[in-house]
Amino acid sequence: MADGVYHIPALLEPTIAGLHIQPEGTYVDVTFGGGGHSRAIMAQLGQGGTLYSMDQDIDAYQNRIDDTRWHFIRGNFRYLANFMDYYGITQIDGLLADLGVSFHHFDEAERGFSFRFEGPLDMRMNRQGGRTAADIIGSYSEEELARVLYLYGELKNSRQLAHKMQGVTRTEELASISSDKKELTKIFQALRIEVNDELGALREMLTAARDLLKPGGRLAVLTYHSLEDRIVKNFLRSGNLEGEIQKDFYGNICTPFRVLEKGLTPDEDEVARNPRSRSAKLRIAEKI
């Protein structure tokens, strides 16, 4: 990006190290964004290696990599299986997912992701389709809005907040319903998750990644809030979306993964350099 920083990856070195890059391997970065992770993967690939980078936001293509080994896929990572099938890929050596929202999204007023700026309540990762946050507020009943705030923002006063949100279409209007920044952060998070069906997309992507990874392949996921982290943690531990541990006749746990990293967080130095990495948590697993 010519203007400002698109995104600074959190926990970059341990994430790339955890992927254990095979020089001639096939890798997928399902959250291309500013391209930081993808470039780090490319730096370790040999001439026979391949990287597919996905992003549903066309803005990310401005950060493209000029290399014949690199392929950009514009699409939601929930369709990972379909895109890999299109390219004829049946197995991959590793997959990386950084579930954090890019600085680019938070820092552009017209995207509507932050209460720091005045602008329309959009919040769509893909601006070429789907409902905006303003559409959801305008079409949902108070009960439906309260459900979104409770489930995705974990706000106990969700009903009162939903009532105050009636008729809101802009970020500054939504920001005016509370003076508590932590509460506002949760309100904006809840709407963003609903607009983009983030948790549903995450579940579909994880299932596809499990099926695509070859034995010994690595899955690295960076989470930023408890809702997505719980899904990832339970999936890597059990190998299924329900998080149910299954055992064989002898009582041994049956799972397709060996968990290698259970939740690494940034150290003080990284947080000082990149404050937005504070809530990042890295989980890594290897396909058995």
Side-chain angles (χ1 to χ4, degrees), residues 33-219:
H37 284 120
S38 284
R39 285 183 168 78
I41 293 172
M42 290 294 296
Q44 297 193 25
L45 287 181
Q47 287 305 307
T50 307
L51 172 63
Y52 295 89
S53 297
M54 299 182 65
D55 205 295
Q56 61 182 317
D57 189 345
I58 192 59
D59 287 358
Y61 188 63
Q62 298 176 57
N63 306 309
R64 58 190 175 275
I65 301 171
D66 185 15
D67 194 303
T68 57
R69 299 168 299 166
W70 181 77
H71 305 273
F72 182 74
I73 299 173
R74 191 195 166 205
N76 191 309
F77 61 43
R78 74 187 319 150
Y79 304 118
L80 171 65
N82 292 349
F83 283 116
M84 290 297 98
D85 183 59
Y86 173 80
Y87 281 96
I89 304 299
T90 58
Q91 285 192 315
I92 60 176
D93 294 276
L95 182 143
L96 183 151
D98 181 349
L99 304 180
V101 180
S102 292
F103 296 2
H104 169 67
H105 293 130
F106 279 128
D107 294 342
E108 290 207 346
E110 67 270 18
R111 300 301 296 265
F113 285 94
S114 174
F115 54 82
R116 293 185 295 119
F117 307 104
E118 295 185 1
L121 271 175
D122 193 320
M123 297 195 191
R124 292 172 299 169
M125 293 294 185
N126 178 2
R127 287 189 285 181
Q128 294 188 335
R131 300 170 301 179
T132 66
D135 292 334
I136 284 174
I137 293 173
S139 62
Y140 279 24
S141 66
E142 282 191 26
E143 185 176 349
E144 289 172 320
L145 274 179
R147 175 190 61 81
V148 168
L149 296 174
Y150 182 78
L151 290 179
Y152 301 149
E154 300 180 292
L155 291 157
K156 294 180 179 179
N157 59 336
S158 60
R159 290 186 180 277
Q160 296 95 311
L161 292 171
H163 180 71
K164 292 180 181 180
M165 287 166 61
Q166 297 304 303
V168 166
T169 62
R170 294 181 59 82
T171 55
E172 64 269 25
E173 294 171 347
L174 185 57
S176 71
I177 73 171
S178 175
S179 58
D180 185 334
K181 288 188 176 181
K182 183 175 290 188
E183 186 172 70
L184 281 176
T185 298
K186 291 182 177 181
I187 292 169
F188 274 71
Q189 171 186 295
L191 285 170
R192 192 196 75 229
I193 290 173
E194 179 73 2
V195 167
N196 299 288
D197 188 24
E198 292 180 16
L199 302 186
L202 174 60
R203 293 184 179 97
E204 292 183 40
M205 183 274 289
L206 289 172
T207 301
R210 177 195 63 199
D211 297 341
L212 283 163
L213 281 168
K214 62 176 62 171
R218 300 282 181 91
L219 175 61

